[in-house]
């Protein structure tokens, strides 16, 4: 990520919809085409292997035959021309807490015989409206930039289980993860509604500390690691103090 737009996160709109933070990345089209965790070399592989996962290995974009497998100067020049023109715009949307979003034990077991996690996960209307606002802003930014799209990767697949519809938008929307796992053993002052206190110490078991981003009571727009590191240091001081 080379840049970001972080100052659209707050305002009166938050009474109506979730906020988002925008990141601008120059790691090319990996996440856009391959999904989060997609191969960052997706365009490169296309031109080495003669495939077209990126949608760029076509006659129109390269002046070559469709799905060319290139090498040498042709490969170098084509990649230099394409990859230097790729960028990613992404929206990290906050999520309101939902008690039905849970991680419980599944009856299915893994290769070690341990029960697999069973994840119930849904988005609130508040969060969906934030994603819709992000979608509208993306369209606005692209139109101001004069971007025309030959390959539109914003279409949502019919069988996407995460797809949802929003009034006023003529296509279904969906979302991908950012790897920012937060919540479940949340922090709070009330043992009825939280698992740990502000020192990440279990309400039920004073000799047990649960350290990590699982203690976040909700999910904002920002990446969690700096905050969870600060909390870990605070917890360590508290443990040392209590020893
Ligand atoms: C692809 C990706 C990109 C990311 N990029 C960023 C970023 O740019 N900026 C940012 O701030 N955050 C980023 N994050 C998020 C950040 O890495 C996580 O939020 C953070 O690492 C969570 O820390 P944690 O200590 O809560 O959990 P973890 O780091 O997941 O630690 C949990 C530990 O518990 C261990 N464990 C699990 N089960 C058991 C068990 N039964 N017994 C013993 N040990 C067990 C695991 O092996 C693991 O070591 C990213 C995450 C991913 C996946």
């Amino acid at each position: 990520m080379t840049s970001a737009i972080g100052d659209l996160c707050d305002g009166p709109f938050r009474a109506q919809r979730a906020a988002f933070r925008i990141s601008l990345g120059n790691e090319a089209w990996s996440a856009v085409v391959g999904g989060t965790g997609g191969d960052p070399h997706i365009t490169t592989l296309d031109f080495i292997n003669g495939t077209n996962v990126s949608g760029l290995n076509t006659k129109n974009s390269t002046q070559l035959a469709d799905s060319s497998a290139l090498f040498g100067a042709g490969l170098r020049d084509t990649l230099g021309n394409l990859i230097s023109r790729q960028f990613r715009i992404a929206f990290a949307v906050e999520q309101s807490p939902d008690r039905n979003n849970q991680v419980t034990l599944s009856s299915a077991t893994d290769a070690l015989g341990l029960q697999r996690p069973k994840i119930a996960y849904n988005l609130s209307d508040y969060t969906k409206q934030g994603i819709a606002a992000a979608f509208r802003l993306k369209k606005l930014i692209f139109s101001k930039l004069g971007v025309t799209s030959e390959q539109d990767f914003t279409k949502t697949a019919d069988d996407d289980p995460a797809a949802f519809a929003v009034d006023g938008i003529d296509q279904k929307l969906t979302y991908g993860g950012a790897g920012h796992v937060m919540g479940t053993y949340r922090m709070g002052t009330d043992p009825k509604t939280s698992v740990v206190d502000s020192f990440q110490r279990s309400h039920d078991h004073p000799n047990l500390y649960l350290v990590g981003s699982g203690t976040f009571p909700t999910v904002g727009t920002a990446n969690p690691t700096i905050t969870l590191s600060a909390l870990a240091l605070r917890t360590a001081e508290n443990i040392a103090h209590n020893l």
Side-chain angles (χ1 to χ4, degrees):
M1 193 208 296
T2 48
S3 189
I5 304 172
D7 48 5
L8 299 178
C9 294
D10 208 5
F13 67 85
R14 292 191 66 213
Q16 315 293 331
R17 64 152 175 90
F20 51 76
R21 183 178 52 80
I22 304 170
S23 59
L24 303 169
N26 69 346
E27 83 282 39
W29 282 15
S30 57
V32 181
V33 180
T36 304
D39 194 320
H41 305 297
I42 207 150
T43 305
T44 308
L45 289 172
D46 273 348
F47 285 92
I48 291 173
N49 295 332
T51 51
N52 192 22
V53 182
S54 65
L56 289 172
N57 196 355
T58 66
K59 201 170 184 176
N60 281 345
S61 62
T62 62
Q63 309 300 318
L64 297 164
D66 277 5
S67 298
S68 310
L70 304 175
F71 62 93
L75 177 64
R76 186 191 63 210
D77 293 348
T78 302
L79 293 180
N81 187 38
L82 291 176
I83 291 178
S84 60
R85 288 174 166 76
Q86 293 181 340
F87 81 105
R88 171 182 60 83
I89 180 167
F91 298 80
V93 184
E94 71 177 330
Q95 292 175 53
S96 42
D98 179 346
R99 65 168 56 248
N100 293 317
N101 284 354
Q102 299 181 346
V103 182
T104 51
L105 289 175
S106 163
S107 53
T109 51
D110 65 13
L112 297 173
L114 300 172
Q115 281 178 278
R116 287 182 177 279
K118 182 176 170 185
I119 299 170
Y121 186 72
N122 214 341
L123 299 182
S124 65
D125 286 339
Y126 181 82
T127 298
K128 287 177 181 170
Q129 288 300 334
I131 295 175
F135 180 78
R136 290 190 191 99
L137 182 58
K138 185 269 300 182
K139 285 186 98 160
L140 180 66
I141 291 171
F142 279 18
S143 81
K144 297 267 185 203
L145 282 170
V147 171
T148 54
S149 175
E150 287 177 28
Q151 296 92 18
D152 187 351
F153 296 109
T154 59
K155 294 274 183 291
T156 304
D158 288 339
D159 59 351
D160 183 340
F164 62 91
V166 171
D167 284 348
I169 294 181
D170 60 1
Q171 69 174 80
K172 284 197 171 174
L173 302 179
T174 189
Y175 54 91
H180 300 164
V181 283
M182 299 177 226
T184 63
Y185 49 97
R186 66 204 308 251
M187 178 190 292
T189 51
D190 184 354
K192 289 197 185 106
T193 55
S194 60
V195 179
V196 298
D197 67 12
S198 71
F199 292 103
Q200 304 186 95
R201 184 178 200 165
S202 163
H203 290 306
D204 290 350
H205 307 286
N207 202 29
L208 175 67
Y209 288 80
L210 298 153
V211 182
S213 52
T215 62
F216 288 20
T218 185
V219 176
T221 59
N223 308 32
T225 301
I226 301 288
T227 307
L228 78 86
S229 301
L231 286 171
L233 293 172
R234 185 170 185 270
T235 294
E237 278 171 12
N238 183 257
I239 293 171
H241 177 76
N242 287 329
L243 280 175

